């Protein structure tokens, strides 16, 4: 089960999320989304748990908990929405 983790501190490390979510089961992947221009955290990421039961437990256990001084928002990740592809100039016409 893939979980969305929001309201992350810009200093939060993937290893911190792995340790925290690991208390609820097997963590198979952790990814904090980074801004390509600044290489700084965008303040959210994704944690993939080993099973749906572990994901449910992690959502209940981690939603509202503090990491890096901020209360996390944790819920099931939604599939990524397709965005139209095109150049910036095409969309400005």
């Amino acid at each position: 089960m893939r979980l969305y983790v929001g309201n992350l501190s810009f200093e939060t490390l993937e290893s911190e999320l792995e340790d925290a979510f690991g208390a609820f089961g097997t963590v198979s992947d952790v990814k904090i989304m980074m801004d390509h221009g600044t290489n700084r955290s965008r303040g959210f990421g994704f944690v993939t748990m080993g099973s749906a039961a572990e994901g449910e437990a992690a959502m209940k256990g981690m939603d509202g908990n503090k990491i890096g001084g901020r209360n996390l928002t944790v819920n099931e990740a939604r599939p990524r929405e397709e965005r139209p592809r095109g150049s910036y100039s095409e969309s400005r016409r």
Side-chain angles (χ1 to χ4, degrees):
M1 173 183 257
R2 191 165 192 224
L3 303 175
Y4 165 85
V5 183
N7 200 34
L8 292 173
S9 160
F10 296 125
E11 289 79 33
T12 300
L13 303 174
E14 290 177 351
S15 59
E16 291 177 88
L17 291 182
E18 185 172 2
D19 290 344
F21 281 78
F24 300 94
T26 303
V27 176
S28 58
D29 187 50
V30 177
K31 179 73 175 168
I32 294 177
M33 305 311 290
M34 305 298 282
D35 182 276
H36 295 292
T38 63
N39 202 33
R40 187 172 124 176
S41 168
R42 293 180 62 198
F44 71 95
F46 298 93
V47 174
T48 303
M49 301 298 294
S51 71
E54 292 171 338
E56 291 289 337
M59 271 194 294
K60 290 177 184 166
M62 292 301 296
D63 188 45
N65 274 7
K66 282 191 178 183
I67 291 183
R70 304 199 55 182
N71 293 336
L72 300 182
T73 299
V74 182
N75 49 50
E76 189 170 356
R78 295 185 300 235
R80 187 173 180 171
E81 294 179 11
E82 288 295 320
R83 290 190 238 170
R85 295 185 82 85
S87 72
Y88 177 75
S89 61
E90 288 176 15
S91 65
R92 302 284 292 171
R93 290 183 188 169

